[in-house]
């Protein structure tokens, strides 16, 4: 019989026997290399293969042969290949199994003479996966040309899962040569988006800790199938219940997520794959992990954003099922928080961050969540450095790993080497020294070198922000984002709750004024307890003042609470997302009616009441005269103004950094606002994020802005810039630069050059 016609042989003893045998080898008290050698021999024997080899991925992206049965032993720890190189490299890169009856005719085949593999024709390789990441490649080879059956491929994948645990356990560290660290334990540097300034050094705490599966191999398949089915049933009932009790009351869970999970949990394909994994010998937990590993590996490499989004839902589902199976809690226990905790999370709501002990938090790293997400605003309020949009980070770290994050550059150092760690330690000390200098500036008046006063205010939204006003010497709260308080409570706050909240804000602030902005919800700011509507374009949808005017009871309640809280004191109310004059008129009418109502009922009115608007919708730019003759003040919301002017979603990392606010287009619009406001004698401030960045703030002053409101942590460095600035010079410089911009999309470089030449502290 010709070799290639020989039927596929059944593996000796089958996969379950192999797993049992491997478990015994895993438990033996032997050296790591001896264990690996035994493992490859056991697999080769069980699968009736002449060769079994294990390649492990190093942090330099090379795959190193760690053990082999059948190839030349001398090649162990010598043969390496890059991910993407040869068949083994191809498997590592695609994270897909590869079964070939004639390996040498495959276009990716590359010959490594030291291994002696030229005599083996058939080849089966599977990725060693953990959390969707490739840790290595497991290969079996046969001399004869043969095709490997589905069962054999399946069994090899299950075996690889066991090896993943071994690699991840760190045991192989003892056989790694210096400089050749394996990827999962090696140092790694990842780039994310800067979210909150500062440097954090500490140890990883996973926000939703991964369930550690201790028992991979099933003792009793029937029992495991039943456990799985029972858990799926319980999960299904639980999700139905959550959806039924109506928008997830209090659980902080979003209906869309639950709906997606419900759809998946009812997917027959998914439960069939789980059952198949159990039948290959795994426990129910291991089966969930196995199936999710494969799914992750596939979807992570997909370029389709829809499919990648589904991955989150599938992860969520797998996670819920694992918790169901093991009965373990969802969030890390507070008492197990180390003193220098860096929280690593896929996503996180603002409330969850507040639940951690602030004293122990050193930083926050998120897979999702850009600089203007709400958890980012909370991180800034708490003064915790944070980085967002770090791809796949929850799978790159293990609990307890050392980690550094740089909140100003967005760089994360995972398991850094000693010299990197000491460099960052030095950077952190320098920063602390600079912060100390800023603190000394607290009582220094904010006046430029040529005697122009620049008023610096602070943005706030929670009670935890308030002490910073004193610490930083801010003149007032220039933007109080009232929605933040609404976002961190389980239900819509009643009038009395709002009243006591606004009152404590004003009490704490004493003589310093507070500009309360009415609820700016909708778009990306979601109240977990409020019914949501599907909108194609939420940022352009039903939000902020639009909700307030369509649901006047909501706005009225808030206004009433503010009026009562400010009896006999100054009150400033600002309306968000105003796009046309009638909206301001209508909102003002609500306030006036409410004021009259309060007076009729004997409540003392505020000492004086000022009403203003956010300038953040471009349409306002062409109605400035009409607005300015009506309002008491305006504040430019540059975050939204820039997003709407460039038609670029501020939360979408693909486009949010594509356009520079220091572009002639934006700067001219910002100049138009101060030019118009001046003759009307209406005070203007700017309260978007650019106000807190020294270079941008310098440009704003050059455009005529004399009031900026920013995060408390930015105040010191902006004041240091102000003290070193000459307003006349920057005004002249910016006017010239805008005049001869020659179609450039940014004048950032020119501004940096100017600041350097003039010795302005940035
Ligand atoms: C803005 O849009 O610039 C602003 C200050 O408001 P928010 O970031 O809350 O939308
Ligand atoms: Mg805004």
């Amino acid at each position: 019989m010709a070799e290639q016609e020989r039927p596929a042989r059944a593996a000796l003893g089958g996969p379950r026997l192999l797993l049992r045998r491997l478990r015994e080898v895993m438990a033996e008290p032997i050296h790591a290399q001896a264990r690996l050698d035994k493992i490859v021999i056991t697999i080769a024997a069980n699968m009736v293969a002449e060769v079994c080899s294990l390649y492990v991925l190093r942090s330099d992206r090379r795959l190193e042969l760690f053990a082999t049965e059948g190839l030349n032993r001398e090649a162990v720890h010598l043969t390496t290949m890059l991910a993407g190189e040869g068949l083994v490299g191809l498997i590592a890169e695609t994270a897909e199994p590869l079964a070939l009856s004639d390996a040498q005719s495959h276009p990716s085949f590359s010959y490594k003479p030291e291994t002696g593999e030229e005599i083996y024709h058939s080849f089966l390789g599977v990725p060693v996966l953990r959390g969707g990441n490739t840790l290595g490649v497991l290969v079996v080879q046969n001399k004869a040309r043969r095709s490997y059956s589905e069962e054999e491929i399946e069994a090899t994948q299950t075996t690889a899962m066991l090896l993943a645990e071994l690699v991840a356990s760190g045991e192989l560290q003892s056989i790694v040569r210096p400089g050749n660290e394996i990827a999962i334990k090696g140092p790694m540097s990842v780039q994310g988006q800067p979210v909150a300034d500062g440097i954090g050094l500490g140890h990883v705490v996973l926000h939703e800790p991964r369930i550690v599966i201790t028992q991979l191999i099933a003792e009793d398949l029937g029992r495991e199938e039943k456990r799985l089915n029972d858990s799926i049933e319980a999960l299904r009932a639980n999700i139905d219940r959550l959806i039924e009790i109506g928008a997830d009351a209090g659980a902080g869970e979003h209906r869309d997520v639950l709906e997606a999970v419900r759809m998946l949990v009812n997917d027959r394909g998914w439960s069939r794959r789980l059952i198949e994994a159990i039948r290959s010998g795994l426990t129910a937990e291991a089966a969930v992990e196995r199936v999710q590993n494969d799914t992750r590996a596939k979807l992570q490499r997909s370029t389709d954003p829809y499919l990648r989004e589904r991955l989150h839902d599938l992860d969520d589902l797998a996670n819920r099922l694992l918790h169901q199976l093991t009965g373990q809690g969802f969030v890390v226990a507070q008492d197990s928080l180390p003193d220098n905790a860096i929280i690593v999370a896929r996503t996180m709501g603002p409330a969850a961050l507040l639940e951690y002990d602030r004293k122990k938090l050193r930083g926050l790293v998120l897979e999702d969540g850009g600089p203007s997400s709400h958890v980012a605003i909370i991180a800034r309020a708490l003064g915790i450095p944070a980085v967002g949009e770090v791809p796949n980070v929850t799978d790159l770290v293990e609990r307890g790993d050392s980690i550094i994050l740089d909140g100003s550059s967005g760089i994360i150092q995972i398991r850094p080497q000693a010299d990197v760690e000491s460099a960052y330690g030095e950077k952190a000390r320098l920063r602390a020294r600079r912060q100390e200098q800023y603190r000394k500036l607290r009582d220094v008046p904010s006046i430029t070198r040529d005697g122009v006063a620049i008023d610096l205010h602070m943005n706030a939204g929670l009670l935890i922000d308030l002490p910073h006003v004193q610490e930083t010497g801010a003149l007032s709260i220039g933007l109080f984002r009232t929605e933040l308080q609404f976002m961190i409570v389980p239900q819509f706050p009643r009038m009395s709750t709002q009243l006591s909240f606004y009152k404590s804000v004003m009490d704490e602030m004493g003589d310093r004024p507070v500009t309360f902005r009415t609820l700016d919800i909708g778009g990306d700011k979601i109240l977990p307890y409020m019914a949501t509507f599907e909108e194609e374009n939420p940022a352009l949808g039903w939000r902020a003042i639009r909700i307030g005017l369509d649901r006047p009871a909501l706005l009225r309640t808030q206004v009433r609470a503010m009026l009562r809280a400010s009896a006999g004191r100054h009150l400033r109310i600002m309306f968000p997302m105003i796009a046309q004059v009638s909206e301001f008129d209508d909102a003002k009418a609500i306030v006036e009616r409410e004021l009259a109502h309060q007076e009729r009922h004997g409540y003392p009115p505020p000492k004086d009441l000022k009403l203003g608007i956010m300038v953040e919708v471009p349409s306002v730019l062409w109605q400035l005269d009409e607005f300015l003759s009506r309002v008491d003040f305006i504040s430019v919301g540059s975050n939204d103004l820039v997003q709407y002017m460039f038609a670029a979603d501020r939360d979408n990392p693909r486009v949010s950094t594509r356009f520079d606010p220091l572009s002639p287009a934006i700067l001219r619009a910002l100049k138009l606002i101060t030019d118009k406001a001046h003759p009307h004698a209406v005070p203007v401030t700017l309260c978007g994020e650019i106000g807190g960045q020294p270079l941008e703030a310098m440009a704003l002053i050059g455009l005529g802005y004399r009031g900026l409101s920013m995060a408390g942590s930015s105040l010191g460095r902006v004041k240091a810039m102000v003290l070193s600035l000459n307003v006349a010079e920057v005004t002249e410089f910016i006017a010239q630069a805008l005049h001869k911009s020659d179609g450039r999309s940014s004048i950032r470089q020119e501004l940096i050059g100017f600041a350097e030449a003039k010795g302005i502290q940035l």
Side-chain angles (χ1 to χ4, degrees):
M1 192 190 288
E3 270 188 339
Q4 56 265 58
E5 287 161 18
R6 200 184 290 176
R9 286 166 295 182
L12 273 187
R16 294 200 54 221
L17 185 69
L18 172 60
L19 288 178
R20 199 166 307 144
R21 212 24 229 122
L22 288 176
R23 188 172 57 179
E24 286 160 16
V25 178
M26 295 284 196
E28 280 180 46
I30 47 174
H31 182 253
Q33 187 66 52
R35 191 183 320 286
L36 283 185
D37 294 344
K38 270 195 165 182
I39 287 173
V40 288
I41 291 171
T42 309
I43 299 173
N46 181 278
M47 300 200 55
V48 201
E50 281 94 23
V51 174
C52 174
S53 315
L54 174 68
Y55 297 83
V56 177
L57 188 69
R58 304 193 318 211
S59 48
D60 61 0
R61 307 298 298 159
R62 294 194 83 87
L63 290 142
E64 176 179 319
L65 180 64
F66 261 59
T68 186
E69 160 69 3
L71 299 185
N72 292 338
R73 285 296 181 93
E74 295 76 49
V76 170
H77 296 301
L78 281 181
T79 291
T80 66
M81 60 213 65
L82 273 171
E85 179 193 349
L87 296 175
V88 171
L90 179 69
I91 294 163
E93 201 171 65
T94 56
E96 300 266 5
L98 187 63
L100 302 166
S101 58
D102 182 12
Q104 286 153 35
S105 63
H106 190 282
S108 289
F109 180 80
S110 100
Y111 176 53
K112 296 275 175 190
E114 72 277 16
T115 61
E117 67 179 328
E118 62 278 13
I119 53 173
Y120 303 102
H121 289 285
S122 320
F123 174 103
L124 166 62
V126 301
V128 176
L129 291 174
R130 192 159 188 270
N133 288 309
T134 302
L135 306 188
V137 175
L138 176 66
V139 174
V140 292
Q141 287 171 282
N142 285 78
K143 274 193 189 135
R145 290 187 174 82
R146 54 160 302 203
S147 28
Y148 296 94
S149 68
E150 275 302 320
E151 290 75 44
E152 283 172 305
I153 299 173
E154 185 73 24
T156 318
Q157 281 178 287
T158 301
T159 312
M161 196 173 157
L162 231 95
L163 293 174
E165 289 310 311
L166 181 68
V167 178
S169 74
E171 187 185 331
L172 304 188
Q173 290 298 89
S174 61
I175 51 171
V176 163
R177 277 163 312 152
N180 290 344
E181 271 76 20
I182 54 181
I184 195 163
K185 289 287 163 191
M188 199 183 273
S189 170
V190 211
Q191 178 74 55
Q193 281 283 330
V195 161
D197 240 3
I199 291 173
L201 291 99
H203 290 96
V204 169
V205 171
L206 285 164
H207 175 53
E208 285 174 358
R210 200 177 295 131
I211 300 261
V212 180
I213 299 169
T214 42
Q215 179 80 343
L216 285 170
I217 300 155
E219 301 283 352
D220 174 347
L221 291 188
R223 202 175 74 96
E224 294 304 319
E225 268 190 50
K226 179 164 176 354
R227 284 182 64 230
L228 178 77
N229 287 330
D230 290 350
S231 291
I232 292 181
E233 215 32 70
L235 181 61
R236 192 175 289 155
N238 192 16
I239 289 170
D240 285 348
R241 191 183 54 82
L242 280 176
I243 291 176
E244 201 172 302
I245 56 174
D248 8 31
E253 310 217 53
H254 202 274
R255 193 185 176 97
D256 292 352
V257 175
L258 292 175
E259 291 282 6
V261 172
R262 172 153 74 179
M263 213 174 77
L264 292 167
V265 86
N266 290 321
D267 176 349
R268 294 204 168 277
W270 178 71
S271 34
R272 198 194 58 239
R273 283 200 301 282
L274 290 173
I275 297 287
E276 275 168 11
I278 289 183
R279 289 185 184 158
S280 78
L282 296 176
T283 59
E285 291 88 341
V288 176
E289 179 136 317
R290 165 70 215 284
V291 169
Q292 191 54 12
N293 265 344
D294 293 349
T295 315
R296 292 206 105 206
K298 280 199 193 84
L299 295 188
Q300 257 168 25
R301 284 160 185 82
S302 155
T303 47
D304 180 339
Y306 173 79
L307 284 181
R308 291 176 60 92
E309 196 47 48
R310 294 285 70 76
L311 174 59
H312 280 325
D313 298 335
L314 281 162
D315 270 339
D316 197 56
L317 176 62
N319 215 7
R320 281 169 198 268
L321 189 52
L322 282 176
H323 280 90
Q324 187 75 44
L325 278 164
T326 56
Q328 287 181 30
F330 228 5
V331 173
V332 69
Q334 291 290 334
D335 52 3
S336 63
L337 209 61
D339 283 342
N340 51 3
I342 305 240
I343 310 292
V344 179
R346 229 174 58 207
T347 58
M348 193 193 258
L353 181 57
L354 287 166
E355 275 166 25
Y356 285 98
D357 178 356
R358 165 73 193 89
K359 288 196 288 299
K360 293 180 171 180
L361 286 191
R362 293 289 172 274
L364 173 68
V365 180
L366 297 167
E367 255 174 49
D368 287 344
S372 41
S373 64
H374 293 99
V375 66
I377 290 172
I378 303 283
R380 256 173 262 146
L382 291 170
I384 303 167
V387 175
E389 282 155 26
V390 188
N392 204 21
V393 67
T394 50
D395 289 320
L396 301 176
V397 297
E398 296 283 327
R399 181 171 191 275
D401 275 351
S402 64
I403 183 168
I404 300 173
L405 67 112
D406 182 343
S408 35
S409 65
I411 291 175
I412 313 283
Q413 305 286 354
I414 299 168
R415 300 174 290 268
Q417 280 167 335
D419 51 347
V420 173
E421 191 156 342
S422 69
Y424 273 93
E426 183 54 28
K427 217 171 155 181
R429 275 189 294 280
L430 262 174
R431 202 186 123 82
R433 224 172 293 148
R434 206 169 319 128
Q435 296 294 25
E436 188 48 43
Q437 285 164 3
Y438 293 154
R439 253 191 295 281
K440 291 203 186 107
L441 294 182
R442 189 187 71 168
D443 300 319
V444 176
S446 171
I447 296 178
T448 63
R449 278 180 31 230
D450 51 345
V452 180
I454 307 295
D455 295 343
L456 304 183
H457 310 274
M458 208 187 98
N459 294 346
L462 295 168
L463 291 176
I464 48 165
D465 292 325
L466 301 181
H468 301 314
V469 180
Q470 283 280 353
E471 285 161 24
T472 57
L475 291 179
S476 83
I477 294 185
L479 165 64
F480 195 93
R481 292 179 161 105
T482 57
E483 64 276 6
L484 295 191
Q485 183 62 22
F486 284 67
M487 281 161 51
I488 60 167
V489 290
Q491 67 210 23
F492 204 93
R494 305 148 78 98
M495 203 287 286
S496 55
T497 316
Q498 294 188 44
L499 166 61
S500 67
F501 178 68
Y502 301 139
K503 199 161 169 316
S504 25
V505 173
M506 297 187 109
D507 289 347
E508 179 119 354
M509 290 299 291
D511 295 338
R512 290 180 163 97
V514 182
T515 303
F516 287 105
R517 179 173 74 182
T518 61
L519 269 188
D520 184 7
I521 47 173
D524 64 320
K525 300 183 197 176
I526 293 154
L527 302 184
Y529 41 82
M530 229 173 113
T532 49
F533 302 91
E534 275 296 322
E535 291 187 302
E536 264 308 299
N537 257 319
L540 305 181
W542 198 55
R543 51 175 299 196
I545 197 66
R546 302 168 186 185
I547 300 183
L549 293 176
D550 290 354
R551 297 275 184 277
L554 213 130
L555 182 58
R556 210 179 310 123
T557 308
Q558 196 181 22
V559 168
R560 180 173 299 177
M562 287 175 184
L563 288 171
R564 286 208 201 159
S566 57
R569 302 193 265 203
H570 297 281
L571 175 61
R572 295 164 61 84
I573 301 180
M574 175 158 74
F575 303 111
M577 296 292 298
I578 295 280
Q580 55 190 14
V581 175
S582 63
E583 290 170 336
F584 174 73
D585 290 343
D586 293 347
K588 183 177 175 182
I590 290 180
V591 176
E592 282 174 347
R593 266 202 304 279
E594 194 50 39
L595 186 63
H597 176 84
Q598 295 295 300
E599 283 181 338
R600 272 201 307 280
H601 287 79
Y603 291 102
K607 187 152 87 190
D608 98 290
L609 171 62
K610 301 259 190 260
L611 299 181
I613 58 162
M614 296 279 294
V615 177
E616 53 184 347
V617 179
S619 63
V620 173
L621 298 179
W622 290 274
Q623 308 169 74
L624 281 167
D625 285 322
E626 292 88 333
F627 275 114
L628 289 162
S629 58
R630 284 169 160 80
V631 300
D632 297 313
F633 64 90
I634 59 175
S635 190
V636 180
S638 52
N639 304 340
D640 279 314
L641 188 62
V642 170
Q643 104 161 325
Y644 295 129
M645 281 189 59
F646 282 131
D649 183 351
R650 64 196 253 189
D651 278 325
N652 178 345
R654 289 218 185 118
V655 294
S656 61
T657 51
R658 192 182 180 97
F659 304 99
D660 191 349
L662 290 178
S663 66
I666 300 292
L667 296 177
R668 285 179 187 141
L670 293 172
K671 174 104 172 59
L672 178 70
I673 299 169
T674 51
D675 283 351
K676 286 279 186 187
H678 190 69
H680 283 275
V682 170
V684 190
T685 53
L686 180 140
C687 59
E689 297 305 307
I690 57 172
Q693 289 152 6
L695 183 74
E696 283 79 349
M698 178 188 88
L700 291 167
I701 294 170
L703 296 171
Y705 286 82
R706 298 295 177 261
L708 301 172
S709 192
M710 62 199 76
S713 55
S714 299
L715 226 112
R717 53 188 190 155
V718 171
K719 193 187 270 188
M721 182 278 294
V722 166
L723 297 178
S724 60
L725 183 71
N726 181 309
V727 174
E729 284 177 359
V730 73
T731 308
E732 170 64 19
F733 181 81
I734 243 190
Q736 290 294 330
L738 285 183
H739 183 64
K740 52 174 175 55
S741 71
D742 293 337
R744 259 177 302 224
S745 46
S746 167
I747 61 161
R748 181 172 294 274
Q749 285 317 318
E750 287 85 335
L751 287 166
I752 293 175
F754 168 80
E756 279 170 1
K758 299 287 177 185
I760 296 162
Q761 197 174 327
L762 292 182

